[in-house]
């Protein structure tokens, strides 16, 4: 059965580096605002509960799936679906950059970032272990394929989610703002992200929900630019500027079906 129209709030927030208590309060406020606006789902950026450039703080803020802040998100998800990111401490002691979806009071699925960034200003492999799989997460609002930031820059995750028939790709990011071309209003980094979103939506024939963070850590400014792209590759809505905000959109599941009927890419794919 096709899920009904879903209202989603993308929470473009500014997490406090290493401050779980403050960030949990920020999540609670955004969840309350989304609920008041009639949203059935709220999505947060990469590492939304911890901040991004953690370095030596990673071990201090890492959480097992049933620890306090995550249990609080699970409790809050009884009437609204929540997607949030944290540093996950696994049973074997490894720590992952994880994005999970909470629904009906439980964690229904989680994705461990596969493609850790180890170039330029980034050194994620110093503290995080890499995930090793892409699995769709089935929600009452449809089937989601989760990609965390750099995962979106590689074809394997998008392709596997396409084969799995996801209704939406949830792309959660902590991407810096980079490049100001002369005479152009748009950041070079945002222009590149826009191209990736639109290509991903058109080729997977799924909604792309991109939620990025804002603020500054270690002198690095994050780029915001959260947006939604339709399954035909056309932009549905976006947030402008580098400030915190929320983007509220209604996702029409019948659009996915219409696009896939008109251009049956999955039918003709040869994995």
């Amino acid at each position: 059965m096709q899920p009904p129209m879903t209202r989603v709030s993308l929470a473009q927030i500014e997490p406090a580096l290493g401050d779980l208590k403050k960030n949990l309060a920020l999540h609670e406020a955004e969840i309350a605002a989304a609920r008041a606006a009639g949203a059935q789902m709220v999505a947060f950026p990469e590492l939304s509960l911890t901040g991004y450039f953690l370095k030596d703080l990673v071990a201090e803020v890492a959480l097992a799936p049933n620890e306090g802040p995550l249990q609080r998100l699970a409790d809050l998800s009884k009437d609204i679906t929540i997607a949030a990111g944290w540093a996950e401490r696994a049973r074997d002691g490894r720590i992952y950059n994880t994005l999970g979806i909470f629904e009906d009071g439980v964690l229904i699925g989680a994705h461990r970032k596969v493609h850790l960034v180890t170039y330029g200003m980034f050194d994620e492999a110093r503290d995080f272990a890499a995930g090793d799989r892409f699995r769709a997460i089935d929600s009452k609002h449809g089937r989601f394929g989760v990609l965390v930031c750099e995962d979106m820059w590689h074809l394997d995750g998008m392709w596997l989610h396409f084969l799995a028939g996801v209704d939406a790709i949830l792309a959660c990011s902590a991407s810096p703002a980079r490049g100001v071309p002369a005479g152009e209003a748009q950041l070079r980094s945002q222009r590149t992200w826009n191209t990736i979103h639109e290509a991903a939506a058109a080729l997977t024939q799924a909604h792309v929900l991109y939620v990025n963070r804002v603020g500054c850590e270690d002198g690095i400014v994050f780029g915001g630019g959260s947006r939604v792209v339709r399954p035909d590759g056309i932009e549905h809505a976006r947030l402008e500027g580098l400030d915190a905000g929320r983007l509220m959109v209604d996702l029409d599941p019948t659009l996915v079906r219409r696009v896939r009927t008109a251009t049956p890419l999955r039918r003709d794919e040869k994995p």
Side-chain angles (χ1 to χ4, degrees):
M1 180 180 294
Q2 194 78 23
M5 187 90 74
T6 300
R7 177 164 292 181
V8 180
S9 177
L10 302 185
Q12 183 169 287
I13 61 170
E14 180 180 350
L17 184 62
D19 193 334
L20 288 170
K21 183 177 181 180
K22 184 174 182 178
N23 291 331
L24 179 59
L26 179 58
H27 281 64
E28 290 174 336
E30 287 295 326
I31 292 164
R35 187 185 290 114
Q40 288 86 47
M41 180 175 182
V42 56
F44 292 90
E46 175 183 12
L47 293 174
S48 58
L49 275 171
T50 62
Y52 179 76
F53 284 110
L54 290 164
K55 300 180 181 178
D56 293 339
L57 293 173
V58 169
E60 294 182 27
V61 300
L63 298 167
N66 59 347
E67 287 196 70
L70 299 181
Q71 185 57 54
R72 175 59 176 157
L73 292 183
D75 292 341
L76 290 170
S77 75
K78 291 176 181 177
D79 62 351
I80 186 170
T81 301
I82 301 165
W86 72 94
E88 177 203 357
R89 186 185 303 279
R91 286 178 177 267
D92 61 10
R94 286 183 290 182
I95 299 174
Y96 295 92
N97 180 338
T98 296
L99 194 291
I101 298 181
F102 301 84
E103 187 172 277
D104 293 334
V106 297
L107 177 65
I108 63 170
H111 171 68
R112 293 168 171 172
K113 187 174 183 178
V114 172
H115 296 288
L116 301 179
V117 195
T118 57
Y119 55 81
M121 68 183 75
F122 307 103
D123 191 16
E124 293 181 1
R126 171 184 180 271
D127 301 299
F128 291 107
D132 61 4
R133 68 199 64 195
F134 294 96
R135 287 180 175 169
I137 298 174
D138 287 311
S139 157
K140 60 189 176 185
H141 306 300
R143 173 167 283 190
F144 290 89
V146 176
L147 298 173
V148 177
C149 205
E150 181 74 8
D151 287 339
M152 194 81 180
W153 287 67
H154 298 263
L155 296 175
D156 51 358
M158 284 188 285
W159 188 69
L160 289 168
H161 287 323
F162 165 69
L163 295 182
V166 300
D167 301 298
I169 288 178
L170 180 58
C172 300
S173 183
S175 179
R178 290 179 288 181
V180 185
E184 295 187 25
Q186 191 176 60
L187 294 166
R188 183 176 288 113
S189 56
Q190 188 58 58
R191 187 172 61 192
T192 303
W193 271 114
N194 290 348
T195 300
I196 292 171
H197 302 153
E198 289 154 18
L203 293 175
T204 62
Q205 298 181 313
H207 297 281
V208 170
L209 312 177
Y210 174 71
V211 54
N212 192 23
R213 62 158 293 176
V214 293
C216 181
E217 288 178 4
D218 273 5
I220 305 299
V221 176
F222 294 92
S226 301
R227 69 199 293 251
V228 176
V229 181
R230 303 186 330 189
D232 54 8
I234 296 173
E235 181 177 89
H236 179 53
R238 63 174 165 175
L239 282 174
E240 301 283 2
L242 300 176
D243 297 322
R246 61 185 68 99
L247 183 63
M248 199 79 61
V249 293
D250 292 320
L251 302 184
D252 182 0
T254 65
L255 181 57
V256 173
R257 186 175 60 212
R258 293 200 304 271
V259 168
R260 293 177 181 177
T261 299
T263 311
L265 299 182
R266 181 63 185 90
R267 182 197 68 189
D268 298 336
E269 187 72 14
K270 297 175 175 59

